[in-house]
Amino acid sequence: QADDHLNGLSLSPTYDWLFDQGYISFSNNGELICGTQFSSFTWNKLKINPNSKNKLRIYPEGREEYLEYHRDVVFQH
């Protein structure tokens, strides 16, 4: 729902674009998940290690439903 304050994340412009396009997502506990569409060269240029287990503090909590939707519908595995 667009009017729900939990339906959104505060991300840097790069991460925001990657998230909106479905190239990255996050687990319910905030772990970064990278898709397989980019080569290691591209991830390196973006300064993102797709194999790292970086965690974003999802604040406030309660976004699990939206993150699950993103992973199921938007994220390009």
Side-chain angles (χ1 to χ4, degrees):
Q1 297 173 357
D3 60 345
D4 186 347
H5 74 283
L6 294 175
N7 185 14
L9 295 172
S10 179
L11 302 170
S12 72
T14 300
Y15 276 72
D16 183 57
W17 186 85
L18 291 168
F19 184 81
D20 287 348
Q21 299 302 311
Y23 295 116
I24 64 170
S25 194
F26 296 94
S27 68
N28 286 351
N29 69 355
E31 187 175 294
L32 176 65
I33 304 168
C34 296
T36 58
Q37 291 74 27
F38 291 158
S39 68
S40 58
F41 175 81
T42 302
W43 287 117
N44 188 46
K45 287 294 186 186
L46 292 168
K47 307 262 190 270
I48 296 173
N49 179 351
N51 299 316
S52 69
K53 300 299 180 187
N54 294 336
K55 284 190 181 179
L56 173 73
R57 172 96 163 99
I58 305 294
Y59 181 80
E61 285 78 10
R63 290 186 162 94
E64 293 83 5
E65 178 182 345
Y66 295 113
L67 290 171
E68 288 169 11
Y69 174 86
H70 185 270
R71 288 191 306 270
D72 291 344
V73 177
V74 180
F75 181 58
Q76 302 177 41
H77 300 274

